[in-house]
């Protein structure tokens, strides 16, 4: 048989895309292929669970627009599907005079992005969060938390209800684009034919793009985000999410304190170069993955450009005391014995051949394929509008039924 649509990847971007396509084009046949035996085992199932407001992103960028829409859409989706979320709000805390300028710049950016945010002084901050120290903060009331695993299960159920097929343990190895259809070869040698393909392969987005015959100017470099969980007695140490002022050169937000929907409080994530794309433990090494990025000139350029922060993140990863010191700057009462290692995640971060970290979402489209090439944070927040945008870009019915 030939499907109308094939989606690769059972993370939030792939499942939301499958849902949007099926809602937009009722009656279309769709198969979603996921290489793992379950959905959401990678970025989506290992993130911080924050529904971001979109303060940080360059006005006019896809991230800024899709995050702002995603905040509203995700909450609405949760309400409609009975998925709990909590609007806890967020504080970005400046702890030095030097950070005040950057905090002001973030307040300006929030304004440019149409996000309600308020600069508050140390006393106002302490009133909100007595355990947080700093000299000023930006308060963003709309930031919320959710369990993205819950969202994912709901999306998957909807895809099935709308007539789509989610096929697990189905790794796509090779894709051939023909004038009228796309052929996919799976690891088990099975073949799938589809009129249209959308690839949402996260940490493998670049490898799959190349296996589909695309020429790309970037590569995915994996950055592990390590988390610690605080003990039950510290579950009310913060009510909101508490973030440091980020380095504007980096797409990472800095180690933050986040309450979760499980009732726990997490510290993290840091951002350490991983030695495997799915390298969740420090000891995980894939020679193939290392060889791929080591042979890419952009990787070395970005390493040189961000040497200071890269070394610092690596040291934070190796020393729990250093990691703690980063958090104590704004939550001073935390102690090293409060930190229990928790499940890590790995971010898929696209790096261009000139060494720049690709900040914005990135897509590449051919007549029959659309590849999502860079969908880092806040892509969990933005997944629903990303999916709508992808559905807009697909040409649906022109040739359905022709083959
Ligand atoms: C530590 C961490 C914290 C984060 N915190 C937040 C946050 O708080 N809020 C937020 O909005 N975002 C956050 N993000 C980012 C967010 O989680 C990701 O942007 C989002 O989950 C990306 O979704 P995805 O579907 O593109 O990728 P994934 O969830 O990684 O899914 C891709 C899927 O494709 C499958 N796949 C890959 N190759 C193939 C193949 N060849 N054949 C078949 N299947 C394949 C994989 O197995 C995987 O299941 C965080 C990310 C990390 C790592």
């Amino acid at each position: 048989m030939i499907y109308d649509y094939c989606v690769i990847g059972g993370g939030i971007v792939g499942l939301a895309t499958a849902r949007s396509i099926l809602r937009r084009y009722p009656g279309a046949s769709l198969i979603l292929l996921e290489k793992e035996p379950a959905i959401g085992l990678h970025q989506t199932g290992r993130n911080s669970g924050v529904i971001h407001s979109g303060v940080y992103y360059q006005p006019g960028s896809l991230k800024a627009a899709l995050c702002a829409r995603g905040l509203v859409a995700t909450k609405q989706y949760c309400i409609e599907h009975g998925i709990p979320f909590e609007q806890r709000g967020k504080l970005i805390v400046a702890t030095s005079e030097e950070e005040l300028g950057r905090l002001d710049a973030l307040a300006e950016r929030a304004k440019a992005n149409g996000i309600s945010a308020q600069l508050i002084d140390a006393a106002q901050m302490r009133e909100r969060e007595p355990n947080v120290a700093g000299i000023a903060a930006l308060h963003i009331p709309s930031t919320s938390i959710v369990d993205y695993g819950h969202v994912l299960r709901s999306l998957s159920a909807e895809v099935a209800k709308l007539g789509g097929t989610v096929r697990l343990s189905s790794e796509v190895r090779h894709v051939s684009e023909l004038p009228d259809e796309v052929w996919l070869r799976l690891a088990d040698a099975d073949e799938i034919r589809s009129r249209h393909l959308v690839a949402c392969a996260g940490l493998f987005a670049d490898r799959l793009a190349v296996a589909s015959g695309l020429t790309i100017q970037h590569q995915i470099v994996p950055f592990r985000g390590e988390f610690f969980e605080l003990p039950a007695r510290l579950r009310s140490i913060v009510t909101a999410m508490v973030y440091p002022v980020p380095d504007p050169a980096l797409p990472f937000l800095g180690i933050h304190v986040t309450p979760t929907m499980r009732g726990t409080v997490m510290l993290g994530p840091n951002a350490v170069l991983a030695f495997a794309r799915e390298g969740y433990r420090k000891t995980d090494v894939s020679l193939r993955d290392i060889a791929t990025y080591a042979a890419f000139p952009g990787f070395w350029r970005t390493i040189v450009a961000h040497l200071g922060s890269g070394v610092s993140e690596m040291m934070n990863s190796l020393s729990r005391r250093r990691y703690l010191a980063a958090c104590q700057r704004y939550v001073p009462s935390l102690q090293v014995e409060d930190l229990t290692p928790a499940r890590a995640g790995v971010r898929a971060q696209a790096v261009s051949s000139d060494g720049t970290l690709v900040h914005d979402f990135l897509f590449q489209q051919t007549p029959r394929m659309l590849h999502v090439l860079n969908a880092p944070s806040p892509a969990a927040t933005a997944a629903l509008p990303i999916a709508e945008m992808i559905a807009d870009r697909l040409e649906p019915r022109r040739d359905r039924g022709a083959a």
Side-chain angles (χ1 to χ4, degrees), residues 9 11-13 34-35 42-44 47-48 50 52 172 201 375-376 379-381:
I12 196 163
V13 177
E34 165 55 52
K35 71 180 167 64
H42 297 294
Q43 296 177 92
T44 308
N47 64 26
S48 307
V50 178
H52 286 291
V172 178
T381 305

Side-chain angles (χ1 to χ4, degrees), residues 8-14 33-36 38-52 148 170-173 200-204 208 223 225 227 243 269 278 344-348 372 375-382:
I8 303 174
I12 196 163
V13 177
L33 302 170
E34 165 55 52
K35 71 180 167 64
E36 301 291 352
I39 57 167
L41 292 188
H42 297 294
Q43 296 177 92
T44 308
R46 293 171 169 268
N47 64 26
S48 307
V50 178
I51 311 178
H52 286 291
Y148 282 110
S170 300
E171 181 181 346
V172 178
R173 286 275 173 85
C200 313
L203 286 151
F204 291 91
L208 198 62
F223 286 94
F227 290 93
Y243 285 66
E278 293 168 353
V346 178
R347 306 172 183 83
V372 179
S377 184
T381 305

